[in-house]
Amino acid sequence: MKNTRRTYLFGEQGDLSQNGWDKFHWLWPHCLVGIAILLYAGKPLTLLRLGQSGAKGRGLNVTALFLILMLCGLWMLSAAITMVGVIGFLGLVSPNLARLIGARTATSELYWSSLLGALILIMADNLALFIGTFSFDIVPTGLATALLGAPMLIWLILRQKNQETNTSFQTIRGQSHLSQKGLCFVFALLIMIILLGIFSHFELDHFVLRLPNEFSWELKWPRLLSALSAGAAMAVSGVIMQRLIHNPLASPDLLGLSAGAVLAMVGFSAYFGIRMGQLGSLVAFVGSMTVLFILLLLGRRFRFAAAPMILTGVALSALIETLIQFSLMKGTDEVYDILRWLAGSTYRVTPDQAVLLCVVSSVLILLSLSLHKVLTLMSMGKVTAAARGVAVRPNFVLLLMLAAALCASVTALLGYIVFISIVAPHLASLLGARTVLSQLSVSALLGASLLQFSDWLGQTLIHPNQLAAGTMVAIIGGAYFILILLRNRRSLSR
């Protein structure tokens, strides 16, 4: 069982080790389609640079080209993953390096990207072998690729000269203002979800609605309190990130703040043998702050512009997630505990931890509400904020630290909770919460409702088994964004 788990984790990391030529003989016929792409896809891709209307005007069937190239790319990608596992960063770094050395046409980009991708992977594999000679353990090629690819990608980002200077945050389309009916709906929804969590339970495998007894109440209220507190904290953290980065899809996960907390917790547990429940919030906070410090240190080079900050955060997050997977490959008995924790659940929360999370979250949320004027000016753009007398850099750092603290406090106790920090601010904007103060307040209420409902749903759907709240939130959040994409597609087609 232990060897099977280790083999699976190696597949996730990406590994080129093999005992013969069997894998190669299987793989190379599947990659012949790449030769056709190199020979014939250059000119159509060059026409696409003119835009869809321009390409169609010159006789190019854009839809057919997209489907053909997408299917060919997915075919080669699937074949490569089947043989060697997931190896990241090559698809990001290789094309950018190709353009850096002078590839200007689509044909030259394809050829140079293929060559550079192969060279980087060879370098990564040799680096993995070199590290393995010192660590006396097998190092997957995917880890070495991340160790090479992440610094390369960050270096390429730092070389960008044209950075945005005074972009402002634009909320998504929705109601023009927050009405009393909308606010009452949010409060009613929260109360209904809380009552549902309190009164609903199972007796002899039958779902009933009645007052909980003393025993069931002792089990219910820590989970209820922690879910409400965590949902509100992640939602407020998402609003801060979106307003600062001027991107409605920004979140602590996007910039690697959640991943930093996870890496710190997993690292301590895997390498020091400490169980996840015994680690305090300080460990997660230090992890988030470390990632934030690196992000700010790099962000000074491009004056904390939004787009490079996001790309840098994505690179750091991908590198950290690779390191997390490598930590899990140690194969210790704590791995199962870590994997359960990564799913994001309120199951392990004790009464003392629930109260602590509630207090910390409440203090940080109140602090965020008190800074709503500063955040309003910051969301208008840095030049505008500076003209209104705001000390841009100190307040930018302060607000980022506040978002990181909210994220770390939740991650330390509940694990990896995603999508709350994106979905809740979006729903608040749809209801008409346009100002920072209203968006912070309504997002906190919606985030608390969403996470508590997800936790209740996870406990109910497959009773007596349970699904983690983080898993249910990911399902609900993914469905939400699919609906948003379908809605935008319909509006564009009209």
Side-chain angles (χ1 to χ4, degrees), residues 196-254:
L196 186 64
I198 293 175
F199 288 96
S200 65
H201 55 279
F202 285 86
E203 292 183 359
L204 300 176
D205 292 334
H206 294 287
F207 182 80
V208 296
L209 290 173
R210 63 179 60 176
L211 281 171
N213 55 38
E214 184 177 354
F215 174 75
S216 62
W217 176 243
E218 288 297 323
L219 297 176
K220 279 179 176 290
W221 77 261
R223 301 188 66 168
L224 179 65
L225 182 62
S226 60
L228 294 173
S229 303
M234 291 302 295
V236 171
S237 179
V239 173
I240 295 174
M241 295 299 303
Q242 292 173 16
R243 292 277 179 170
L244 284 181
I245 305 300
H246 307 147
N247 190 321
L249 294 178
S251 70
D253 315 297
L254 191 64

Side-chain angles (χ1 to χ4, degrees), residues 153-274:
L153 182 58
I154 294 173
W155 175 69
L156 290 170
I157 294 170
L158 295 177
R159 285 182 58 88
Q160 298 295 322
K161 296 180 180 180
N162 298 323
Q163 308 293 354
E164 50 192 322
T165 56
N166 195 38
T167 57
S168 60
F169 175 76
Q170 300 293 331
T171 57
I172 63 174
R173 294 180 180 179
Q175 298 294 328
S176 58
H177 65 280
L178 181 63
S179 63
Q180 291 184 354
K181 290 183 179 180
L183 191 58
C184 291
F185 168 77
V186 174
F187 275 108
L189 179 66
L190 178 60
I191 293 173
M192 182 182 67
I193 291 175
I194 292 175
L195 294 177
L196 186 64
I198 293 175
F199 288 96
S200 65
H201 55 279
F202 285 86
E203 292 183 359
L204 300 176
D205 292 334
H206 294 287
F207 182 80
V208 296
L209 290 173
R210 63 179 60 176
L211 281 171
N213 55 38
E214 184 177 354
F215 174 75
S216 62
W217 176 243
E218 288 297 323
L219 297 176
K220 279 179 176 290
W221 77 261
R223 301 188 66 168
L224 179 65
L225 182 62
S226 60
L228 294 173
S229 303
M234 291 302 295
V236 171
S237 179
V239 173
I240 295 174
M241 295 299 303
Q242 292 173 16
R243 292 277 179 170
L244 284 181
I245 305 300
H246 307 147
N247 190 321
L249 294 178
S251 70
D253 315 297
L254 191 64
L255 295 185
L257 301 183
S258 296
V262 171
L263 179 62
M265 299 284 286
V266 170
F268 267 80
S269 179
Y271 288 95
F272 297 101
I274 305 174

